[in-house]
Amino acid sequence: MEKTALEACEAACEGTTADLAAIRGKLVTEQSAVQLADLFKALGDPTRVKIIHALQQSELCVHDLTQVLDMGQSAISHQLRLLRNLRIVKRRKVGKTVFYSLDDDHVEQLFMLTLQHLIHS
């Protein structure tokens, strides 16, 4: 019986013909890997995902977000602080009111691509 490529590789794998040194040289730095992992961790919380989705539609203040998400101000503020520290959202102050929006187009693109990936069958 003929072995599949996977079985042959597992039995006595000698690697591929890929240029491993070139691949290693192009890997993200440790700092970038940590930042990217932190970004995906932030997206790993349903409340933060809902906040991002709401802010994708419109700039909102904390009160607006409490109404949209039916949550307390303290919980929303906590999540916004985390998202702000990761540069996912930014804030703009007008008098005593603080308005939140997505930090830049990259955040929106990342969010939309991820959402499209989930919808794609």
Side-chain angles (χ1 to χ4, degrees):
M1 184 184 293
E2 188 175 314
K3 289 184 178 182
T4 66
L6 180 60
E7 291 172 330
C9 188
E10 287 176 349
C13 183
E14 296 178 14
T16 65
T17 58
D19 184 351
L20 301 181
I23 293 170
R24 186 180 303 113
K26 292 178 184 177
L27 282 179
V28 297
T29 65
E30 185 65 26
Q31 180 181 1
S32 292
V34 168
Q35 290 173 331
L36 191 57
D38 286 344
L39 174 66
F40 282 109
K41 282 182 205 172
L43 296 175
D45 180 86
T47 298
R48 291 190 289 265
V49 168
K50 290 176 185 177
I51 291 171
I52 292 167
H53 194 236
L55 294 176
Q56 182 181 14
Q57 298 172 58
S58 179
E59 179 182 62
L60 300 169
C61 68
V62 175
H63 178 266
D64 293 339
L65 286 166
T66 64
Q67 297 300 302
V68 169
L69 299 178
D70 195 28
M71 294 179 66
Q73 181 179 349
S74 176
I76 295 291
S77 294
H78 172 76
Q79 298 300 339
L80 286 168
R81 188 176 319 105
L82 189 144
L83 292 171
R84 211 175 67 242
N85 289 341
L86 292 170
R87 295 181 37 229
I88 295 172
V89 301
K90 62 184 177 185
R91 67 183 187 165
R92 177 178 68 86
K93 197 168 186 176
V94 178
K96 292 184 179 184
T97 305
V98 179
F99 293 94
Y100 289 88
S101 61
L102 297 182
D103 189 69
D104 61 26
D105 289 340
H106 297 115
V107 173
E108 184 173 356
Q109 290 171 11
L110 176 64
F111 187 82
M112 287 309 299
L113 285 172
T114 305
L115 197 55
Q116 288 172 359
H117 173 71
L118 294 174
I119 295 168
H120 176 70
S121 298

